[in-house]
Amino acid sequence: MAENGLYDVLRMGISSLRAQSRAIETVGRNMANVNNPTYARQRVIFGDVSPTGGASVGVDVIEVQQVRDVLLDRQLVREKSGAAALEAETAAYERGEAAMGETISNVRDPNLAATTGGNSLTNAMAGFFGAARQLSVDPTNSTQKQMFVQTAKTMTERFQFSNDRLAEVQADLTDQVSNDTDKANLLLTTIKELNLMIASQESETGTKALTLRDQRQARVEDLAQVMNFKTTTLPDAPNQIQITATSASGVDTVILSGGTTLETLAFAGAALRVVSSNTALTLTGGSTKGLLTARDGALQTLRNSLNLLAKQMVTSVNAAYNPSGTGQNFFDPAGTNASSIQLASGLTGLNVRASVAGGAAGDSSVAQAISKLDIRSFSSTSGDAINGTMGESYSAAISLFSYSLSQSRMNHENQTGVLNIVRGQRESTSGVSLDEEAAELMKFQRAYQASARVISVVDQMLDIVVNSMGRG
């Protein structure tokens, strides 16, 4: 062996032992993390040891790589952001449904929804107009008068209850957005720290900080569930990432860059903003987007509809009860929305009238006029607050809310399906397969055994050379 003597062969065997041992260690790490969703499978890259460029003098581990597809990682981040937005929006609508104390039918046609529940506003209005009809039949009956006033009071309380509970849900959603903003700031800080740690470790060791990179990717995906953004690698520092969000004017705004730039986000009630520049961000994904969509969308629309219905109820009933406008009103004329609707001060079952003031005994014209409001069709073009009958107006409001809930649920199901597909694609690329790792383990084990056998044979040959060839 002119070029590779026994000692060179020994060195090759030793370097192969080290390399195969490193490979076995990597396989073991993969198998240990088989159930770790944030872990990307690692593989060993072998290379010749040939310092002079001549014949190989052994094998070494050049690098341990992560098996990652950057495009799949980015797509998964986007899909997670979209799914989180729809999940939060759906949950918010379901909370609104529960807050009203009514079960709203789940339909995909905005004209077909209905509510169920003995305490629904629909039942309260029906009870009020039904009591008015009963009073018109027997206008002097004190029990019917008491019932008329009581059902009116029940209806006003139901208006107030529905409005107040929806307002509470909106306030809760606002608080949740604030909490999510704090979470986003914490995640951004963590990502910045991981950027610094990755840069430091890779600079010192010359090898990739794979565990830290896994942790950073996991935090990026956590952030995606709060808000949408774009990630890019820095041209002058490939191991560092930059995060940008789109402003309301459509401009990309840097909120994190490597380990140097870190912006603080704040929520002031209407939009997420970058504190340093007061730049409002346009959100298209993440739980923050879903919460704000629900709060300012279908929930607010339902409250607005309740306010208009309450206003129409107050003005119409008062016009029928006090046609001259100079006498006692039935409802407080100042309470023209769902939160303030209430009976006029001093109105009781003892003094409520079934006829106009000074009407003849047995006259029930007022009670009849109020009872007919149940079937009267209103029109906003004529100056009314609603369109259609009062029942139809409320049914339309509930139908629109039900449609929003149904669409949100359907969209969330569809988005979850897309997310699962992308997650499966990434799992097939970056995930750990125990079958594959078992095969790799066997391969590296055999290579290790072969390297050990080479060392053993060289050791025996050297023993012969040293101890036997010098004997006479």
Side-chain angles (χ1 to χ4, degrees), residues 186-198 216 240-241 243 256-262:
L186 180 60
L187 287 169
L188 286 168
T189 300
T190 302
I191 294 170
K192 176 188 175 182
E193 292 172 351
L194 287 169
N195 271 339
L196 291 171
M197 293 168 66
I198 290 170
R216 184 177 64 184
Q240 302 290 283
I241 63 171
I243 295 178
L256 183 145
S257 182
T260 55
T261 303
L262 175 63

Side-chain angles (χ1 to χ4, degrees), residues 121 124-125 127-128 131 145-161 330-331 341-344 347-349:
L121 182 57
M125 289 192 297
F128 170 66
K145 289 184 176 182
Q146 291 283 359
M147 182 64 67
F148 182 46
V149 173
Q150 183 57 46
T151 55
K153 187 173 186 300
T154 298
M155 181 180 65
T156 62
E157 290 173 347
R158 191 63 209 178
F159 266 110
Q160 294 169 6
F161 174 85
F330 191 85
F331 290 114
I341 183 174
Q342 60 182 345
L343 298 180
L347 183 71
T348 67

Side-chain angles (χ1 to χ4, degrees), residues 88-162:
E89 183 181 356
T90 301
Y93 292 149
E94 289 172 347
R95 291 173 64 182
E97 178 186 34
M100 292 186 67
E102 303 183 35
T103 300
I104 301 173
S105 61
N106 186 13
V107 299
R108 296 185 179 181
D109 184 337
N111 298 312
L112 299 178
T115 63
T116 58
N119 295 323
S120 69
L121 182 57
T122 300
N123 291 339
M125 289 192 297
F128 170 66
F129 289 119
R133 281 190 289 273
Q134 292 294 327
L135 182 61
S136 69
V137 174
D138 191 1
T140 60
N141 189 311
S142 60
T143 302
Q144 294 298 338
K145 289 184 176 182
Q146 291 283 359
M147 182 64 67
F148 182 46
V149 173
Q150 183 57 46
T151 55
K153 187 173 186 300
T154 298
M155 181 180 65
T156 62
E157 290 173 347
R158 191 63 209 178
F159 266 110
Q160 294 169 6
F161 174 85
S162 298

Side-chain angles (χ1 to χ4, degrees), residues 14 31 52 62 95 122 165 167 214 217 233 246 341 373 397 463:
I14 293 173
M31 298 178 78
T52 62
I62 298 176
R95 291 173 64 182
T122 300
R165 293 297 296 272
D214 280 340
Q217 179 63 27
T233 55
T246 305
I341 183 174
L373 291 175
D463 180 67

Side-chain angles (χ1 to χ4, degrees), residues 92 95-96 99 162-177 267 269 291-304:
R95 291 173 64 182
S162 298
N163 176 78
D164 292 347
R165 293 297 296 272
L166 288 174
E168 289 172 0
V169 171
Q170 288 180 303
D172 290 343
L173 297 181
T174 299
D175 291 341
Q176 194 169 340
V177 172
F267 178 67
L291 294 170
L292 292 177
T293 297
R295 187 197 70 173
D296 301 334
L299 286 170
Q300 185 58 47
T301 299
L302 181 55
R303 286 189 67 194
N304 293 341

